[in-house]
Amino acid sequence: MAASASSTLDSSQKEIEDELKDCGIRLIVPPPSTEELLNLLDKVESLLVKVGQAPSDSMKDALRPVMRAMVGSELLKNADVDVKFSVVSCLCELSRITAPQQPYDDGLMKEIFQLIVRAFEELSHSARHYYKAVHILETVADVKACLMLLDLECDALVIEIFQLFLRIIRPDHPNVVFTSMEEIMTLLIEESDEISMELLQPLLDSVRKENQICSPISSKLGEKVLKECASTVRPYLVEALKSRSMNLDDYGDIVASICNEMPEGEQMLHSQTEQLKNIGISNASHGCRVRAKKKQNAK
C-alpha cells in the first residue's frame, strides 16, 4: 500500500513537472492572443500552487523555463492589465516556493515588488482583479516575502505600503486582508534596523482622534500594529514627542500607553526599588514599635 501511494505521488509530481516545463517553454515566446496567453498563465499559476517549498532537484529543473519566461519583457512589461496581474500572481507563487531565498537578482526583485504594490492597490475596490490581489497579499504575508524589501533597502516602497494599507483598508474587507496587512507591517517594523519618522507617520496619522471617527477601521489597523510593535517603536515615539512637540491628546490612548510604558529592564529595577522601599518602611516601623516598647518598660 505504501509503495503504491509513493508511486502515485511520484507520478503526480512527474506530471506537474512535465506540464510546467511545457508551459514554460511556450511562455518564452508568448502566444499573440491575449486570451490564449491568459489561459496559459492561469494554468501555470494552478500548477505552481501545487508545488511545495524546498522542491526536489527535478522540480527545480522544471521550474526554470517558467522562471525565465516570467521576467521576460513580453510578460513583465506587458501593457495588458489582466496579463500583469496573472504574471504577478505567478511571481508570488515562485517567491513562496523559493522562500526564504529570493527567486531573482536584486534588480529584478525591486521591479517585481513595484508590480506587487501596484497589485495591492486593487484591494481598494471590488474590481475584477480584487480576488487575485487578495491572494497576492495573503501569499506575501504567509511567506514573509516583504522582508526582502528590507534586504533590498527599498525604504520608499516600504513607506508606500504603510500609506497604502492604511488608506485602502475597508470595513467590508475579509478578515484575511486585515490580518495580512497587519502581519506585513508588523514584520517590516520588527525586522528593521532603524525606524524612520516617515515610516511611523502613517501609523500615527491613523490613530489621530479625528481619524478614529472618519476611518475607524484604518485607526484599528494602525493601533493593532503599534500595539504589536510597542517595545520596538517606543524609543522612536518618545523621541518624536520631544523633537516634534507632539500633543498626546491629539492621538488615541495607544500612543500615550506606549510612551508611558516602562521598558522591561526598567520595570524590573522599579519593582526591586519598590520592594526595598517597602522593606525599609517595614523595618523602620518595627524599630519604632521596639523603641516605644522599651520606653514603656523603662517607665
Side-chain angles (χ1 to χ4, degrees), residues 174-208:
N175 188 56
V176 69
V177 171
F178 186 97
T179 55
S180 295
M181 287 180 175
E182 177 199 338
E183 187 173 349
I184 288 170
M185 288 194 285
T186 300
L187 276 169
L188 287 170
I189 288 177
E190 291 291 358
E191 297 299 324
S192 291
D193 293 331
E194 192 172 330
I195 301 167
S196 68
M197 195 60 205
E198 287 76 17
L199 185 61
L200 276 181
Q201 195 63 58
L203 289 169
L204 286 172
D205 289 342
S206 74
V207 295
R208 289 184 73 92

Side-chain angles (χ1 to χ4, degrees), residues 75-91:
L75 294 184
L76 197 61
K77 300 183 186 300
N78 198 291
D80 187 273
V81 177
D82 293 327
V83 171
K84 277 185 177 179
F85 259 86
S86 292
V87 170
V88 172
S89 290
C90 290
L91 287 168

Side-chain angles (χ1 to χ4, degrees), residues 107-120:
L108 279 172
M109 288 308 301
K110 288 179 182 180
E111 196 170 343
I112 289 166
F113 272 112
Q114 288 281 356
L115 292 174
I116 288 173
V117 174
R118 297 289 76 79
F120 288 160

Side-chain angles (χ1 to χ4, degrees), residues 48-168:
L48 291 173
V49 168
K50 298 174 184 176
V51 180
Q53 290 182 287
S56 63
D57 288 340
S58 60
M59 182 60 80
K60 287 178 183 176
D61 288 338
L63 286 168
R64 284 193 181 99
V66 169
M67 291 180 70
R68 179 186 162 198
M70 286 298 156
V71 292
S73 58
E74 294 88 348
L75 294 184
L76 197 61
K77 300 183 186 300
N78 198 291
D80 187 273
V81 177
D82 293 327
V83 171
K84 277 185 177 179
F85 259 86
S86 292
V87 170
V88 172
S89 290
C90 290
L91 287 168
C92 277
E93 286 301 326
L94 288 169
S95 295
R96 174 189 61 78
I97 293 165
T98 62
Q101 303 300 318
Q102 58 187 51
Y104 301 103
D105 64 40
D106 289 359
L108 279 172
M109 288 308 301
K110 288 179 182 180
E111 196 170 343
I112 289 166
F113 272 112
Q114 288 281 356
L115 292 174
I116 288 173
V117 174
R118 297 289 76 79
F120 288 160
E121 291 175 357
E122 291 296 308
L123 294 165
S124 63
H125 48 85
S126 300
R128 66 182 184 274
H129 305 117
Y130 173 79
Y131 291 104
K132 271 193 183 294
V134 172
H135 176 68
I136 290 167
L137 176 73
E138 192 176 1
T139 303
V140 170
D142 284 348
V143 300
K144 300 177 173 56
C146 54
L147 294 180
M148 294 182 201
L149 287 167
L150 301 179
D151 295 332
L152 296 168
E153 298 182 346
C154 296
D155 298 344
L157 201 56
V158 169
I159 293 167
E160 186 179 347
I161 288 172
F162 275 57
Q163 293 170 337
L164 179 65
F165 284 175
L166 292 163
R167 187 177 74 248
I168 67 175

